[in-house]
Amino acid sequence: MWRQSIRTLWHGQRGLLLFLCMMLVFRSAVADWNYVPSSSMNPTLWAGDRVAVNKLAYSLRVPFTLHEVVRWEHPQVGDVITFDSPVDGTNLIKRVVATGGDTVAMRDNVLVVNGHAVTRTMTNPEAWIPTERGPMAEQLWREHRQGLDIAVARLPAFNRSRDFAPVVVPAGHVMVMGDNRDNSNDSRFIGFIDEQRITGQAVRVVMSHDPQRMFAPRADRWWLPLHL
């Protein structure tokens, strides 16, 4: 009985089924979009953003797995990447702050890479930015390093400035952090990320909806490139 039902479904909906299969393979191995549920990447990404992810940025993988067929690039400092957490497998989105061989420390929330403190400039002492908890006052900064100018944020109300002793990023791994340094579950807590666990590079915000306002669209954030 069930075999007959499957044959009937296949003959009647073959085109639709093939389309759905091809779409799933495309989203797994070529490109996809990720929903941003939290403010850990403020001010670059807001809770409610949907981000386009290039899954061919670094390698070609067997669909639905982390198995690489061929690699042609490695993540660079400043890249915003998606990856499967080594703790629980959750797909996360963070920024690469160091790569294999780098020595990294943090002093009063200032990154120190290979013995050099990353210079930064405050751009706004109190910017009210939407978060999953509602609007919160954040300090906005810009970090200047290696020709990059990266927007980062602090949450003074959390007062979670992090200090850690120098650590060396192992070869084939990266260190990631959220741009919102006081509200991010990143390498400070889950460890270095094996490049094999990286699933793609985020390239732009496709669309955005405000979860605090009945998911009303934020039209000014649609198709927004991820500026450094």
Side-chain angles (χ1 to χ4, degrees), residues 36-200:
V36 179
S38 76
S39 58
S40 69
M41 281 295 292
N42 277 8
T44 306
L45 297 174
W46 293 3
D49 287 349
R50 289 190 180 272
V51 183
V53 177
N54 177 9
K55 296 203 167 186
L56 295 176
Y58 307 115
S59 64
L60 175 65
R61 298 179 183 276
V62 177
F64 314 113
T65 76
L66 292 177
H67 179 71
E68 282 186 356
V69 178
V70 61
R71 172 173 290 273
W72 42 71
E73 188 58 88
H74 294 274
Q76 304 296 313
V77 170
D79 288 357
V80 178
I81 62 171
T82 58
F83 59 93
D84 289 348
S85 169
V87 175
D88 58 11
T90 301
N91 195 248
L92 301 176
I93 181 166
K94 307 291 178 186
R95 190 183 298 275
V96 176
V97 298
T99 57
D102 287 338
T103 300
V104 188
M106 179 168 272
R107 301 172 189 154
D108 192 24
N109 221 299
V110 176
L111 275 175
V112 181
V113 184
N114 297 325
H116 301 284
V118 175
T119 60
R120 61 179 187 169
T121 305
M122 182 182 288
T123 58
N124 193 327
E126 190 180 60
W128 287 84
I129 294 180
T131 75
E132 66 277 20
R133 302 176 182 87
M136 298 186 71
E138 301 184 358
Q139 289 181 352
L140 301 187
W141 299 75
R142 294 202 76 86
E143 289 184 347
H144 317 289
R145 55 179 301 198
Q146 298 181 12
L148 303 176
D149 196 34
I150 299 170
V152 297
R154 292 287 317 278
L155 273 170
F158 281 19
N159 193 27
R160 294 178 59 198
S161 103
R162 294 286 172 180
D163 298 83
F164 57 82
V167 292
V168 178
V169 182
H173 292 69
V174 296
M175 183 175 188
V176 298
M177 296 182 71
D179 289 346
N180 189 342
R181 296 291 166 75
D182 288 323
N183 187 31
S184 176
N185 185 31
D186 50 38
S187 285
R188 292 171 291 180
F189 309 100
I190 63 176
F192 303 116
I193 306 304
D194 191 323
E195 290 186 12
Q196 298 288 330
R197 302 191 71 88
I198 296 174
T199 54

